[in-house]
């Protein structure tokens, strides 16, 4: 066993007696003996699991829907309008497809690691185990900072959406209500959170399917004006490619087309960021080695249908030169900001904006709810590893890390920044920060997976024998790492044309922040990157295997499920 494996055993990350019986670790996690346990032991297991650690309470259907909910939000329903203006219908299709491919490669890489070791310490745990504790420290705090920012961003969007119906009640009042709502939902425990998020995400799916069908019907002539649009908007002057910053680059058409396409990829990066949250839910997932790979595999179809299909429909039904779309995407965030509303308005559909507005409200509240959940679990994971104050390890009887939850909720009040400046500006600043923090997370996940694969090979473990084998490897993770790095490095190019200090800072502040976290930890603790032979692939794995076996035994004791119940579980 490697040196850092022994250290983690000593710190209580995993502790199983020679006879395999149940007992509690120093970290407060419960280890169970699945075979031959008496009733007294099972009662003790239940008591510990309900009081001292996160609970594995997320069901297969909930994990699957949470994976979808994290991947679909304001970046698609609102931000795609800006991408259409800048990139044109073909540019937005190509840009979202390319970034969607990167996203899929990152997700499969994460799925391979999560299926092997579905621990409760989030991404930073994989970086600490497979790369270097300093990388784990920097990644953990980077990911936490992303969720400290993205949660108030979605609250901000929800507050502006409400103003579509009424401005009699001050926006600050609505924001307090929304913050209280998501705090209470998270405080009630993972079962309540999982069930509510399941229904939220189900409504998202229904809404997106409805919007896609609406767009196709409008395009084929099923609209009040009986106008068959076809690919009309793919022809000049509306398409196929857009122009961005044409005046700033001296009117050079080819360069402005390229900048338009590049801006689409930056926009798409923000839209896809959040898909990786499934990697944090593994700590509270039932039967994770089966359910996590299922959720990962379905990601491909979600990306293809909802993202690529969504922007394709938008490009068919809305001209990229439409001034209403430009005004909507630049002036405010709400129902009017959605290109789907612009598409309906152009063909004379009157009542749809209010319906879509209500759906957008559900989208952003669902996103804020899951963001607060992920933020609190990330901080909890850092505390478990000793990389955050020990107070954030505290968990109540419902399995909620309440101290971490309170801190993350406090950051939601950053949303009141929009009382001093416009909501659109605040939204834009948050978008830049979120996409930067998220891109760094993707790069770290890809790099962790590269090191994980090297460790498997060095230690004689075939990837054919692990619970889930990611496709297109090892080149897939290398491609995702390099491509994301290039997009991230050049994502703030428009801050120079002309120079915009706030945009430059929010586009790039994440990079030096990550570097400072990494370097300070590395110098203070004098850590080094593990050689593949030294990587700890086994500590804690036996405990998770036992926990999973116990779960499967308990499931086997239940009466047979009806066909309808099995269908419900597989949703």
């Amino acid at each position: 066993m490697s040196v850092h494996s022994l250290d983690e055993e000593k710190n209580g990350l995993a502790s199983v007696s020679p006879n395999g019986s149940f007992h509690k670790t120093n970290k407060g996690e419960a280890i169970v003996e699945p075979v031959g346990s008496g009733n007294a032991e099972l009662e003790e297991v239940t008591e510990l699991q309900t009081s001292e650690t996160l609970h594995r309470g997320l069901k297969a259907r909930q994990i699957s829907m949470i994976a979808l909910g994290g991947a679909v939000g304001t970046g698609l329903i609102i931000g795609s309008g800006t991408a259409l203006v800048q990139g044109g219908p073909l540019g937005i299709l190509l840009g979202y497809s390319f970034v969607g491919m990167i996203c899929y490669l990152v997700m499969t890489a994460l799925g391979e690691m999560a299926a092997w070791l579905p621990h409760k310490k989030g991404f930073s745990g994989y970086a600490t185990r497979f790369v270097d504790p300093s990388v784990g420290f920097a990644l953990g705090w980077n990911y936490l900072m992303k969720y400290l920012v993205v949660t108030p961003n979605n609250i901000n969007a929800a507050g502006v959406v409400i103003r579509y119906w009424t401005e009699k009640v001050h926006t600050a009042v609505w924001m307090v209500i929304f913050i209280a709502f998501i705090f209470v939902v998270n405080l009630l425990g993972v079962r309540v959170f999982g069930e509510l998020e399941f229904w939220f995400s189900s409504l998202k799916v229904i809404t997106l399917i409805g919007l896609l069908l609406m767009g196709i019907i409008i395009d084929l002539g099923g609209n009040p004006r009986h106008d068959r649009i076809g690919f009309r908007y793919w022809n000049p002057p509306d398409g196929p490619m857009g122009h961005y910053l044409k005046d700033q680059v001296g009117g050079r058409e080819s360069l402005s087309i390229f900048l338009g396409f590049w801006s689409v990829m930056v926009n798409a990066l923000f839209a896809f960021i959040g898909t990786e949250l499934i990697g944090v839910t593994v700590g509270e997932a039932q039967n994770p080695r089966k359910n996590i790979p299922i959720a990962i595999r379905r990601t491909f179809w979600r990306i293809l249908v909802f993202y690529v299909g969504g922007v394709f429909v938008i490009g068919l039904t809305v001209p990229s030169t439409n001034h209403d779309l430009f005004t909507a995407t630049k002036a405010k965030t709400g129902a009017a900001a959605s290109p789907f509303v612009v598409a309906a308005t152009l063909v004379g559909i009157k009542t749809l904006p209010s319906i879509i507005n209500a759906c957008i409200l559900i989208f952003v509240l669902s996103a804020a709810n899951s963001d607060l959940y992920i933020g609190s679990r990330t901080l909890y994971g850092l505390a478990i590893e000793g990389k955050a104050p020990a107070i954030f390890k505290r968990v109540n009887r419902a399995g909620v890390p309440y101290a971490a939850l309170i801190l993350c909720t406090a950051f939601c009040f950053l949303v009141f920044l929009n009382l001093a400046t416009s909501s659109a500006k605040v939204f834009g600043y948050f978008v830049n920060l979120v996409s930067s923090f998220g891109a760094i997370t993707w790069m770290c996940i890809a790099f962790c997976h590269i090191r994980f694969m090297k460790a498997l090979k060095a230690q004689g473990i075939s990837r054919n024998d692990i619970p889930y084998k990611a496709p297109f490897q090892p080149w897939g993770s290398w491609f995702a790492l390099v491509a994301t790095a290039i997009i991230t490095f050049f994502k703030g190019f428009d801050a120079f044309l002309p120079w915009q200090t706030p945009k430059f800072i929010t586009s790039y502040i994440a990079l030096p922040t990550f570097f400072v976290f990494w370097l300070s930890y590395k110098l203070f603790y004098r850590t080094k990157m593990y050689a593949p032979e030294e990587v700890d692939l086994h500590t804690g794995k036996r405990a998770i295997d036992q926990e999973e076996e116990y779960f499967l035994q308990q499931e086997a004791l239940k009466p047979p499920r009806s066909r309808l119940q099995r269908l419900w579980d597989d949703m």
Side-chain angles (χ1 to χ4, degrees):
M1 184 176 292
S2 65
V3 175
H4 75 288
S5 171
L6 291 172
D7 290 339
E8 291 186 2
E9 292 282 5
K10 185 167 58 180
N11 289 332
L13 290 177
S15 180
V16 183
S17 61
N19 61 7
S21 62
F22 162 84
H23 63 282
K24 183 170 71 71
T25 69
N26 296 336
K27 294 295 183 183
E29 297 186 17
I31 308 291
V32 296
E33 174 187 305
V35 182
S37 298
N39 292 334
E41 282 182 311
L42 292 180
E43 289 173 2
E44 187 180 8
V45 170
T46 302
E47 181 180 354
L48 282 167
Q49 286 185 328
T50 56
S51 62
E52 297 187 31
T53 187
L54 301 181
H55 296 179
R56 291 198 182 273
L58 289 177
K59 300 176 181 178
R61 60 181 176 85
Q62 293 170 341
I63 295 172
S64 183
M65 277 297 178
I66 289 172
L68 173 59
V72 179
T74 54
L76 174 62
I77 203 74
I78 295 176
S80 54
T82 302
L84 177 62
V85 170
Q86 297 171 350
L90 179 59
I92 190 175
L93 179 62
L94 294 176
Y96 270 68
S97 298
F98 183 78
V99 178
M101 178 178 62
I102 297 173
C103 177
Y104 177 69
L105 293 174
V106 171
M107 288 293 291
T108 55
L110 175 60
E112 185 167 299
M113 293 185 294
W116 173 264
L117 189 69
H119 63 204
K120 303 182 180 183
K121 294 183 280 295
F123 306 122
S124 64
Y126 296 123
T128 299
R129 293 280 290 268
F130 305 148
V131 185
D132 183 340
S134 62
V135 177
F137 177 80
L139 173 58
W141 279 98
N142 171 84
Y143 200 62
L144 175 62
M145 291 172 68
K146 177 215 166 182
Y147 278 97
L148 294 180
V149 172
V150 73
T151 309
N153 182 40
N154 282 305
I155 295 292
N156 175 49
V160 178
V161 167
I162 284 290
R163 295 178 63 186
Y164 179 84
W165 290 296
T166 179
E167 295 188 15
K168 293 181 180 179
V169 180
H170 198 281
T171 306
V173 176
W174 289 113
M175 291 175 179
V176 171
I177 293 173
F178 295 148
I179 292 171
F181 170 72
I182 62 174
F183 174 75
V184 170
V185 170
N186 275 267
L187 192 62
L188 292 176
V190 67
R191 293 184 184 276
V192 175
F193 165 82
E195 197 63 35
L196 182 65
E197 199 58 32
F198 171 80
W199 289 107
F200 269 170
S201 295
S202 298
L203 288 173
K204 284 186 181 184
V205 172
I206 295 171
T207 300
L208 284 169
I209 291 174
L211 291 174
L212 291 176
L213 290 175
M214 178 200 75
I216 294 172
I217 292 170
I218 287 175
D219 182 70
L220 294 177
N223 55 70
R225 296 179 180 174
H226 305 290
D227 179 18
R228 184 182 177 90
I229 301 171
F231 283 85
R232 181 188 310 164
Y233 299 142
W234 284 55
N235 298 316
D238 301 309
M241 301 296 289
H243 297 82
Y244 186 46
L245 300 175
K246 189 173 183 178
D247 293 338
Q248 285 82 349
V249 296
R252 286 175 286 181
E253 185 170 352
S254 58
L255 181 57
S256 68
I257 290 175
F258 173 76
L259 294 180
F261 170 71
W262 193 265
S263 67
V264 168
M265 290 205 292
V266 173
N267 182 282
L269 183 65
F270 169 72
F272 282 104
I273 291 296
T275 313
E276 75 288 337
L277 67 83
I278 191 67
V280 182
T281 67
V282 299
E284 295 175 270
Q286 295 177 348
N287 197 12
R289 291 209 171 90
K290 175 184 176 183
N291 294 329
I292 295 300
I294 290 174
I296 296 293
R297 291 188 191 103
R298 291 174 180 171
T299 300
F300 172 81
W301 298 108
R302 291 169 186 145
I303 291 172
L304 181 64
V305 174
F306 293 123
Y307 276 96
V308 178
V311 297
F312 176 68
V313 168
I314 289 170
L316 289 176
T317 55
V318 182
S320 62
T321 54
N322 182 271
H323 292 292
D324 291 335
L325 179 65
F326 180 82
T327 303
T329 55
K330 293 296 183 183
K332 57 183 178 178
T333 55
S338 174
F340 292 103
V341 174
V342 176
T345 303
L346 287 175
V347 294
I349 300 176
K350 303 292 185 182
T351 58
L352 195 60
S354 287
I355 298 174
I356 296 181
N357 205 52
C359 295
I360 291 176
L361 183 61
I362 293 174
F363 271 48
V364 294
L365 283 179
S366 170
N369 187 40
S370 60
D371 291 341
L372 186 60
Y373 166 85
I374 298 299
S376 61
R377 268 52 178 188
T378 301
L379 182 53
Y380 168 84
L382 286 169
I384 286 293
E385 288 193 301
K387 295 173 181 174
I391 188 175
F392 298 117
K393 291 192 294 186
R394 295 185 180 180
V395 178
N396 64 17
R397 294 188 64 84
V400 177
Y402 62 91
L405 177 62
I406 291 172
L407 179 68
C408 293
T409 303
F411 273 83
C412 291
F413 291 94
L414 285 173
V415 75
F416 292 111
L417 286 172
N418 70 8
L419 301 181
T421 186
S422 72
S423 298
K425 276 190 175 181
V426 173
F427 186 84
Y429 294 156
F430 282 162
V431 164
N432 281 335
L433 288 169
V434 169
S435 57
S436 297
F437 288 131
I440 291 172
T441 301
W442 281 16
M443 289 186 281
C444 288
I445 290 173
F447 187 66
C448 288
H449 184 242
I450 292 169
R451 301 298 300 178
F452 173 71
M453 289 187 292
K454 288 185 176 181
L456 289 175
K457 183 177 180 179
Q459 298 180 30
I461 301 173
S462 172
R463 290 181 62 242
N464 294 321
D465 298 330
I466 61 180
Y468 170 69
K469 181 181 178 181
F472 311 115
Q473 298 301 339
W475 309 115
S477 289
W478 277 112
F479 178 82
L481 174 61
V482 174
T484 306
I486 294 173
I487 295 174
T488 304
F489 186 77
F490 292 103
K491 70 181 293 292
F493 71 93
D494 49 356
F496 298 89
L497 300 168
W499 175 258
Q500 302 170 63
T501 302
K503 190 165 189 177
F504 175 81
I505 293 174
T506 54
S507 295
Y508 291 109
I509 189 64
L511 295 175
T513 300
F514 180 87
F515 180 78
V516 168
F517 277 129
W518 168 76
L519 186 62
S520 58
Y521 191 93
K522 195 171 190 65
L523 292 178
F524 188 81
Y525 289 101
R526 299 186 181 278
T527 64
K528 64 177 182 178
M529 183 181 294
Y530 300 122
E533 297 80 11
E534 298 175 334
V535 169
D536 178 15
L537 295 172
H538 300 287
T539 297
K541 187 174 179 294
R542 180 182 175 186
I544 297 171
D545 292 339
Q546 290 181 322
E547 189 179 51
E548 188 171 33
E549 186 177 348
Y550 169 71
F551 170 80
L552 293 174
Q553 284 191 345
Q554 294 301 106
E555 289 294 299
L557 296 176
K558 295 180 180 179
R561 307 282 286 174
S562 67
R563 181 176 299 178
L564 183 61
Q565 289 173 323
R566 290 196 302 270
L567 177 63
W568 176 256
D569 289 339
D570 291 336
M571 287 179 61

